[in-house]
Structure formats: structure tokens, C-alpha cells
Amino acid sequence: MSAQRLLVVSDSSDDAELVRELLGVEFESVEASWAEADAIIDFERVRPLVVLLAFKSLQKAQRYCLSLYRSSQVARVSVHRTIVLCTQSELREAYSLCRDGNFDDYVLFWPMNHDAPRLLMAVHHALGQRRSVDTEAVTAGDLAAIARSAAGIGAAVEGLASAGDEAMAHAGRYVAGVETELKTALRDLSTDTLEDPNAATARPEPIRAKLERLHAETIVPRMQEAGRRIAVAREALKTGQAGLGPRLAAHGELQRMVGLVRPSVVIVDDDPAQCKLMGRALGDVQIQSRSCSSASEALRVLSEGRPDLILMDINLPDTSGIELTQLIRTLPGYAKVPIVMVTGNSDKRAVMKSMSAGAAGFLVKPLTRQKLYAQVNASLGWRAAPTAVAEDVG
């Protein structure tokens, strides 16, 4: 049971101990934390698999989670699930927060109800659903970018093979031409020499015989060897071209599959209409998106997998987009993920703060598809084509 590490957190020692004792009926490794000053220390010491948020209000539970992500590197990279305890009046809000990814589950608990097994069951479910996240995993956008950069390899290889074949043929023709020219030159030289009476008596051996022997014993064998080597090289080139066929076919299949890859974008904005419009515009160019309405929800979504791009609103309900951007930059694997700020505020100071926080770009509302696609293209190297009409997306 020691592997099932549970941590009950609250701002009340009595409440924390109450829940801890209840869980202790079935789980051995349950610890409680209630002092705000020790919240980070307790979490990093326990490294829980499940966190029970035993606060009397959902707002306090949200503040705890956000503070934890802000202050603890361990919390940002640990894989844990959260269960929030709520009151009857908070049920609808608790459901919405869990649906949107702020928490993993909720239990109606305050005031102490008679369904204690429900809390135990929620913990069992949380332990069974805990997922491992690989922050070093290659994203669809990474794969697509690499494949696109290699898009011209097939044509380049075929071009080189064709050029090599032509070069070999040219070399063969050149050798044959040189041999013909040498034969002609030697014949002319021997004829001229024989017609010169002084040259004819210069040496005891006839000049023509010497030239013929030079041609037969030296020039012809070397020219033949050169021709043989060119023929071998041409055959090797043809064999190589034949061997490249399946590989070039595989490369072509890779390029076909690249067209099926869909980069992922996380939209962080508390305006549902804005998220819907941007999500629809991205979907029209085969880019999948997921929306988050708060910083705490965004951090949970990002812990589940690394997107190719983050579109970040500056004004969020629980913190600023600038502060969240700074926080995201500290997450493993997120140092180079493009974060583009989306806001209605074009103030120069906001722009400078965003860039200093690690933003890769800036979009000012109202947005058009042209603006959005241009930023996506610049950030991802994608081919999102703008529509002919400058349709607003937010």
C-alpha cells in the first residue's frame, strides 16, 4: 500500500485530519497538510499520486493548485490526480471545473455526508487512471516539420542519379573520342615522319613501327582500362538506382502521411466564444485544438502532453497570461514551444512584458483568419492558407 501515496490538503487541521482518518480505513500511506507555509514542503516530501483538496470553498482549492504549480518544480513534473471536496451549492461549479480540466474529480462532502464510500471509490478510480506523461515525446508538429524539410530529398536523389548516369555516359563518349583522335594523330605523325628523309634515317628502327608499338602496348591498354572502369561505375550506378527504388517509394509514402498529420494547439482564453471561433478557424486548416479557460486548467492540460503551439490570452481569471507564460517556460520540454499572446491590448508595455516572459509572437484582437494563419505559419512552419475573405475570428 505504500505505493498509493495520498495527500490531504486543507487550511484547517481538523478538516485535514478528518479526511485523512476516513481514507486511512483502506489506504495506509495517507498524510495531511494544512499549514500554508509548509504546503510546498509537504507536497515535495510526500510526492503524492492523489491529492485530496479538503477546502471549504472551490476558490481556495484553485488557489492552492495554482500556488503549487507556481512554486514547485516537483509539482509541475509529477504525475498526480486531484479530487476536490465540495458543498451542495458548489456541485455545478465543481462539475464544470472538472469537466474543463481544473481538477480530476469531485465529491460532495461538506457538510460531512453519509456517503463516505464515495470518497474512497473516487481515490481508487484516481489511482487506476493516473497517467504517465513523456515530456520528451515527439509531437505531430515535430514530425511534420522534419518530414516537410525532407520533402525534396526524393527528387534530389533522382536528379543526382540521372546526373550521375549522364556523367558516366559523357565520360565514356569522351574516352572513345580521345582514342579516335589519338589514332588519327599517330597515323598522321607516322605519315609525316616517313615522308621526311632525315627522320627516316635518324634511327635504325622505323618510326612507324615504334608508334604502332607505343599505341598497341601503352595507349590502347590504358584507354581500354579507363573504358572498363567507366563501365563498372555505370553498372554500379544502375544497381544503386534500382536499390533506391523501394526507399524512394517509402519516402513518397512518408510525404503522403505528412499530409495526414495535424499539429496541436492549446488555446488559453476565458471567453468561450473566442475559443470556439479560433478552434473552428484552426480546424478548417487541419489543426487540432484544445481550449482552457484558466491558468490552472492550462497547466493540467499541458501536463498531459506537449502541444505544438499555445495561444495565450493576457487576461485570465486566476492569473495573467504573462505570468503563466513565464511558468510554462520552466516546465520540462516547454522551453521552445511557441507561445503567442492574444489580447485586445496593444499597449507597448504589455508587448514588451510578453516578449520578456518568453512569448514568441503577439496577436491583437479583433483577429482575422489571415492574421491567425500567418502567425501559425510563422510559429510552426505550417501551410495554413488564409481564406479570401478577412473573416473575424475574435
Side-chain angles (χ1 to χ4, degrees), residues 238-254:
K238 289 181 180 179
T239 302
Q241 286 177 278
L244 280 174
R247 291 172 173 80
L248 290 175
H251 181 272
E253 178 64 11
L254 173 62

Side-chain angles (χ1 to χ4, degrees), residues 129-145:
Q129 295 170 359
R130 190 175 63 89
R131 292 185 296 176
S132 176
V133 178
D134 183 4
T135 58
E136 299 301 319
V138 176
T139 67
D142 293 335
L143 177 62

Side-chain angles (χ1 to χ4, degrees), residues 1 6 8 16-31 119-120 123:
M1 300 295 287
L6 310 180
V8 181
E17 284 297 329
L18 170 68
V19 177
R20 187 187 68 78
E21 291 177 6
L22 180 61
L23 294 172
V25 174
E26 289 196 22
F27 304 96
E28 294 182 1
S29 182
V30 185
E31 298 202 34
L119 178 60
L120 299 175
V123 173

Side-chain angles (χ1 to χ4, degrees), residues 62 65-72 75-78 80 100-102 133 266 268 292-305 310 312 316 318-319 323-331 334:
Q62 286 181 285
C65 290
L66 184 59
S67 175
L68 190 66
Y69 277 111
R70 284 174 175 168
S71 306
S72 174
R76 294 171 206 155
V77 300
S78 70
H80 63 276
D100 295 338
N102 288 270
V133 178
V266 168
V268 186
C292 306
S293 60
S294 66
S296 56
E297 181 186 354
L299 288 169
R300 291 190 55 76
V301 168
L302 296 179
S303 72
E304 296 173 1
I310 300 171
M312 176 78 69
L316 298 173
D318 47 359
T319 188
E323 184 177 355
L324 179 57
T325 297
Q326 291 175 320
L327 181 55
I328 291 173
R329 286 295 179 224
T330 68
L331 300 176
Y334 278 88

